[in-house]
């Protein structure tokens, strides 16, 4: 049973990586910041849900360092 669950999780994540790649999240041309990293991670975790309308987006409000 653990093998089947592991296979399902693996396939789910592979589908998510493919969706992130198709959306252009996995390229060297994007700026790396909180928002783009989180969008990519959520797209991968959403897996097949990306193909039925899910389009996860994140807004990051990080504190600014004091000067």
């Amino acid at each position: 049973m653990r093998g089947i669950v592991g296979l399902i999780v693996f396939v789910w994540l592979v589908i998510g990586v493919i969706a992130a790649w198709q959306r252009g999240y996995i390229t060297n041309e994007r700026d790396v910041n909180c928002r783009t990293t989180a969008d990519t991670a959520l797209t991968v975790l959403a897996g097949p849900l990306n193909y039925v309308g899910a389009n996860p987006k994140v807004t990051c409000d990080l504190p600014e360092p004091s000067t």
Side-chain angles (χ1 to χ4, degrees):
M1 187 63 158
R2 287 176 52 186
I4 293 172
V5 172
L7 179 63
I8 291 171
V9 170
F10 177 76
V11 170
W12 183 279
L13 293 176
V14 167
I15 292 171
V17 168
I18 292 168
W21 176 74
Q22 288 176 335
R23 289 184 177 166
Y25 291 167
I26 304 174
T27 64
N28 289 334
E29 298 173 7
R30 289 185 55 132
D31 292 332
V32 177
N33 58 36
C34 175
R35 181 174 176 261
T36 59
T37 303
D39 284 347
T40 303
L42 281 179
T43 299
V44 170
L45 290 177
L49 299 176
N50 290 290
Y51 295 102
V52 293
N55 189 11
K57 296 288 182 188
V58 175
T59 56
C60 294
D61 294 323
L62 297 175
E64 301 267 334
S66 60
T67 55

